[in-house]
Structures are given as C-alpha cells and as structure tokens.
Amino acid sequence: MSTDKPLILISNDDSIASKGIKVLTEVMSEIGDVVVVAPDSHQSGMGHAITLGTPLRVSKSLRLGPEIEAYKCSGTPADCIKFGKHFILKERKIDLVVSGINHGSNSSISVIYSGTMSAAIEAALEGIPAIGFSLCDFSADADFDHIRAYVKNIAQKVIEEGLPTGLALNVNFPAKTDQPIAGVKIARQAIAVFRETFEERRDPYGKPYYWMDGFLQNNDNNGGTDEDALKENFISIVPVKFDLTDYQAIEQLKSWNL
Amino acid sequence: MSTDKPLILISNDDSIASKGIKVLTEVMSEIGDVVVVAPDSHQSGMGHAITLGTPLRVSKSLRLGPEIEAYKCSGTPADCIKFGKHFILKERKIDLVVSGINHGSNSSISVIYSGTMSAAIEAALEGIPAIGFSLCDFSADADFDHIRAYVKNIAQKVIEEGLPTGLALNVNFPAKTDQPIAGVKIARQAIAVFRETFEERRDPYGKPYYWMDGFLQNNDNNGGTDEDALKENFISIVPVKFDLTDYQAIEQLKSWNL
C-alpha cells in the first residue's frame, strides 16, 4: 500500500467513533495515505497521560469505512501515537501527524488538559510535524463544513514547508455562525486559568461524591493571544513546543545560593 | 487549627500509601501546618489528566498518622490540588504546595508524563508557589534520609522568597550512594525523548495485548541541563512555567500567509 503520497497518522481524544475524526480522515485522505490509531473510548481531559502497568489492547476498526486502515486502542491519545509510530508504522516514515478534530476548544490553558494536543505534542517530540485541530463547539454533531478547506490548506502547508523539530501547531476554529471566518491569526497561548467548583452530592447509600465544574477565566489582556483571535472569529494557530523551562527565572534562582 | 505557621498542601502521584509522601509530610510538618490530599491509588504517568464525566470520591485517611489532616481521593494529582484548594481549603490562603517525594526521576521530558509535576504545575497555575520533589530511585522502599535536609531547606527558601506567579520548581535528587550529594544546580529541562518498544503477547483466549517499555534517550549535549546535574550527583532544580508557545516560531509562521 506504499505510494508516493505523504503518509499521515491520525488520532484524537474523542474516540474513533466521533464525528470530528471522521471529518479529519476524509480531508486527509484527499492529500495523503492515512492510517488512524485512535482511542476506543472518550479520553478528554487525559492530558499527556500514558498507560503504565497495564498492557494495551489494539484491534482493527471498520468504523471509518472499509477503505481506511484504522485501529482502535484501549489507551490514551499519547499511547496511540507511540503505538502507531513504534509498532504499526515502524518501518515507514510518517510525514505528518494530525489530531482531532476536537469537539471543543483547546485554546489557552486547555492545552494542558487536552488529549488532542497531547497526541500532537507526542508526535512533535518524536520529530514528526504535527497539528492538533479543535473546533469551538462541544456538541457531538457539530458542523465542520465551514472549516474543511482550512484544515486541508494548513495540513498541506505543513507538509510542504515542514516544521522545526519539536514543534506542533495548536489550531482552534471558531464554531459555525452566520458570519464567515475572518481569517487566520498566528497567536500565543493566553495565560488563563480554570476556576473550579465542586458540588457535593450523596449516593443512595449516603456517601458523598463530588462533581467538578469550571469555567475559563482569562486575565491575559496583553493582546496577541489565541483567545483574542477566536473572539474576533479568526482561526488561531499557536506554535507549541514542550520545554517548560522558565529561562528568565534561572538567574533569579541561582542568586538563592541553595 | 489555624496558626501563624505557613499552610502547606501536599500531594503526589504514587498514592497516599507511598513512602515518599510520608517522608515529605514529616519534613513539611517541621515548618508548617500541613494538609494532605493524595490519590488513593497509583497515578504515575497520568500527566496533567483531570477527571471529567465521573465524580470524585474523597474521604479522610489515617494512613499518615492521627495527627495529620489527610484525604485520599479517587482522582488524579491535578484533581487533588483542585479539590484541596477549591473545596477543603477554600477559606484559607495556601502558602506552599509540595508534591512527591516521587519514587523515580521526573527530570527532562519525564515532566510531561509526570503526575507529581502536574500537581505542582496545577498549583502554580492557581498562583500558589509550588515544588515537585522526585528521587532518582524507583524502589518502593527507597532511602530518602540523605535528602531530608535539602527538602526542608528548599521549601523554607520558597516560603521566605516566594516565586514569580505561575512558576513551579521541578526538583530531582540523586539516589543514595556512597558519595555525598555534590550540591544544588539550577538547570534547564534536557530536550530528550523516550524510545518505546511494544511487546506483543497473547492472552489465554488467543487475543493480542501489548506491553509498552522504553528508555530515555538524551541527545541534548548543550550543557546546563537537569540530566547533566544529576549525572554529577547534584540536585537539579528546573524552574517550570506552563506556556508552550514557541515565540521564535510565531514570526516564521506569519510568513506563511495562511
């Protein structure tokens, strides 16, 4: 099945049964040979979790159509990329990894909790150009038609231009409205935080359990963020790299003489 | 139980039953009032996962002694910090969050998979000074005696000096050897990658399952990393901040005119 078309590995965190990965697979099939390795159940909020101490189950899936080489995996999005690269495709060069299209935003601090972005970042760590796509619409039957052309264009551009080693793109699309998309903005991650509340309830046996709920509080007013772009109906693209070092703080800490 | 001593919230990812959190609680009790909220089971490799779609169970635990206010939680390390801050301690100012002491290194790229560090980073996102402590020894009965004084000193220094908003410290200690610890180095995160392999086995019913194994491959030879420090028997301290934006790449991507 080897052709001269680019080889594209696809994953997500909403599971192989979601509409978003179906759309993404359709669009990527127009520009390359695709292989899908995606979770067999919902993995939202899994962050960069990996499966340790438990083996993985992986099997072929026909859910995306008989013509698509697809696998469902019992693990996390990061597990899917590892397994795809090191087991399923281990003899082949992967040209692009795409993750999504996520049902819901992964802008700002959401990137830390996002399984969608962990799949893209895992690929970037492996030196593969990678893109995480997310739509700011959580509904299971979200409308993706207004973004198909953008998804294809961004993926083609990354295949043509490449990305610096270790870099992934965090791409967020506005939800469908009456207004057309205003364009694309290259942005930085807004420094925001989730404000959580916990609601205590009692189970039928009188024991407490707690539901977490929360909302994003964005105090970042310095402009140029992904949140700013999305508010103005632009697509936001944040280049992300996994180096948490705060280089400015290094000198300060050295002065502590620990 | 309110005193004028600093209030310290403690968590980890090895669970409330681990030796590392017992040692950390003992040391922190010497310098402040402690409250422990820790997972009720092993959460290694959970990265920054949070529990969505399932409620949390939380109950008091006597495992750290009757004099310690401790809670075990069914969620991840990040959940524990959220619940500790927004439910258990919601009326009180938390002066420091400490996580660990992890049984095993969290240097270099391990920080992305680390539940220990996700607890510290979650606290930093909330604006609380935070430290993740890890010992480069995976054994359940690891010897922590050679690092107790350092743990206390680093925590005291952070309480005295504070940390810039959003900053957490990733502190890794060499395992106990015949050699004394050489000192403390402020370092940057080594850019390394895990090399994974998957071993296929068959279950008693003939179905395949896959064990993941791997090792850290460090190709970062530019000096000044946490891996360099640990190799020379130094304690490494990396200041970490959760902003994945690659600012250098922003200009490059703008030239693509997407």
Side-chain angles (χ1 to χ4, degrees):
Chain A
M1 252 213 13
S2 198
T3 71
D4 54 0
K5 288 201 275 182
L7 177 59
I8 303 173
L9 175 62
I10 302 176
S11 195
N12 77 342
D13 74 353
D14 289 324
S15 97
I16 200 160
S18 68
K19 182 175 177 185
I21 201 168
K22 190 164 183 359
V23 172
L24 186 57
T25 302
E26 287 165 7
V27 176
M28 291 301 117
S29 295
E30 297 171 17
I31 59 178
D33 290 330
V34 307
V35 174
V36 178
V37 186
D40 59 14
S41 64
H42 226 277
Q43 296 280 324
S44 297
M46 282 306 280
H48 213 101
I50 51 173
T51 302
L52 297 174
T54 312
L56 295 175
R57 294 281 189 174
V58 187
S59 57
K60 280 224 173 193
S61 170
L62 293 172
R63 198 175 267 274
L64 296 167
E67 74 288 4
I68 300 292
E69 184 180 345
Y71 303 85
K72 58 183 178 180
C73 171
S74 60
T76 64
D79 290 332
C80 289
I81 298 302
K82 288 177 187 288
F83 194 81
K85 170 160 173 61
H86 293 294
F87 194 86
I88 295 174
L89 296 171
K90 72 171 161 188
E91 306 297 329
R92 298 170 68 186
K93 178 179 169 289
I94 303 168
D95 297 293
L96 178 67
V97 166
V98 290
S99 178
I101 304 168
N102 194 60
H103 294 244
S105 161
N106 278 314
S107 60
S108 179
I109 193 61
S110 299
V111 69
I112 201 174
Y113 307 110
S114 164
T116 301
M117 281 308 298
S118 79
I121 291 169
E122 183 65 37
L125 294 177
E126 295 276 2
I128 309 169
I131 314 169
F133 292 110
S134 304
L135 177 70
C136 296
D137 183 341
F138 281 95
S139 58
D141 66 345
D143 190 337
F144 293 89
D145 285 344
H146 64 304
I147 67 168
R148 280 178 184 256
Y150 286 102
V151 169
K152 185 174 175 179
N153 186 34
I154 293 166
Q156 278 180 315
K157 195 77 183 176
V158 168
I159 289 170
E160 280 164 36
E161 303 277 345
L163 287 176
T165 303
L167 198 78
L169 302 185
N170 182 15
V171 182
N172 282 271
F173 297 98
K176 177 98 175 242
T177 63
D178 295 341
Q179 299 300 312
I181 283 177
V184 174
K185 283 206 173 164
I186 312 299
R188 65 180 176 86
Q189 172 194 321
I191 301 303
V193 68
F194 271 94
R195 286 281 151 238
E196 273 91 9
T197 54
F198 289 89
E199 186 191 332
E200 182 172 329
R201 297 189 184 181
R202 297 273 156 179
D203 68 20
Y205 321 105
K207 293 211 169 154
Y209 63 97
Y210 303 89
W211 282 107
M212 182 168 73
D213 198 2
F215 63 93
L216 189 75
Q217 187 177 66
N218 181 12
N219 299 319
D220 188 332
N221 298 316
N222 295 320
T225 71
D226 46 7
E227 292 293 318
D228 296 326
L230 291 164
K231 227 178 261 173
E232 294 163 8
N233 217 35
F234 280 84
I235 297 164
S236 73
I237 302 185
V238 178
V240 305
K241 190 172 182 177
F242 199 84
D243 180 0
L244 297 187
T245 311
D246 184 340
Y247 289 90
Q248 289 186 324
I250 287 182
E251 289 312 310
Q252 183 184 349
L253 290 176
K254 281 183 176 169
S255 73
W256 285 9
N257 295 315
L258 281 163
Chain B
M1 254 217 9
S2 199
T3 70
D4 54 1
K5 287 202 275 181
L7 176 60
I8 304 173
L9 175 62
I10 303 176
S11 194
N12 76 342
D13 74 353
D14 290 323
S15 96
I16 202 162
S18 68
K19 183 175 176 184
I21 202 168
K22 188 163 183 1
V23 171
L24 186 56
T25 303
E26 287 166 7
V27 175
M28 290 302 117
S29 296
E30 296 171 17
I31 59 179
D33 289 329
V34 305
V35 174
V36 178
V37 185
D40 59 15
S41 64
H42 225 277
Q43 297 280 325
S44 297
M46 284 305 280
H48 213 101
I50 51 174
T51 301
L52 298 173
T54 311
L56 296 175
R57 294 282 189 173
V58 186
S59 58
K60 280 225 172 193
S61 170
L62 292 171
R63 198 177 268 273
L64 295 166
E67 74 286 5
I68 301 291
E69 183 180 348
Y71 303 85
K72 59 182 176 181
C73 170
S74 61
T76 65
D79 290 331
C80 289
I81 298 303
K82 286 177 188 292
F83 194 82
K85 170 160 173 62
H86 293 294
F87 194 87
I88 295 173
L89 295 172
K90 72 171 163 187
E91 306 297 329
R92 297 170 68 186
K93 178 178 170 290
I94 303 168
D95 296 293
L96 178 67
V97 165
V98 290
S99 177
I101 303 170
N102 194 59
H103 293 244
S105 162
N106 278 315
S107 60
S108 180
I109 194 59
S110 299
V111 70
I112 201 174
Y113 307 109
S114 165
T116 302
M117 281 309 297
S118 78
I121 291 169
E122 183 65 38
L125 293 177
E126 294 276 2
I128 309 169
I131 315 169
F133 292 110
S134 303
L135 177 70
C136 295
D137 183 339
F138 281 95
S139 58
D141 65 343
D143 191 336
F144 293 89
D145 284 344
H146 63 305
I147 66 168
R148 282 179 181 256
Y150 286 102
V151 170
K152 184 174 175 179
N153 185 35
I154 293 167
Q156 278 180 314
K157 195 79 183 176
V158 168
I159 290 171
E160 280 165 35
E161 302 277 344
L163 287 176
T165 303
L167 198 78
L169 302 184
N170 182 15
V171 182
N172 282 271
F173 296 98
K176 176 98 177 242
T177 64
D178 294 343
Q179 299 300 312
I181 283 176
V184 175
K185 282 205 173 164
I186 312 300
R188 65 181 177 85
Q189 173 192 322
I191 302 300
V193 67
F194 270 93
R195 287 281 151 237
E196 272 93 8
T197 55
F198 289 89
E199 186 191 330
E200 181 172 330
R201 297 190 184 179
R202 297 271 154 179
D203 68 19
Y205 322 105
K207 295 212 167 152
Y209 62 98
Y210 304 89
W211 282 107
M212 181 167 73
D213 199 3
F215 62 92
L216 189 75
Q217 187 177 66
N218 181 13
N219 299 319
D220 189 333
N221 298 313
N222 295 320
T225 71
D226 46 7
E227 291 293 317
D228 296 327
L230 290 164
K231 225 177 262 174
E232 294 165 6
N233 217 34
F234 280 84
I235 297 164
S236 73
I237 302 185
V238 178
V240 306
K241 188 171 182 177
F242 199 84
D243 180 359
L244 296 188
T245 312
D246 184 339
Y247 289 90
Q248 289 185 324
I250 286 181
E251 288 311 310
Q252 184 184 347
L253 291 175
K254 281 184 176 168
S255 72
W256 285 10
N257 295 316
L258 281 164

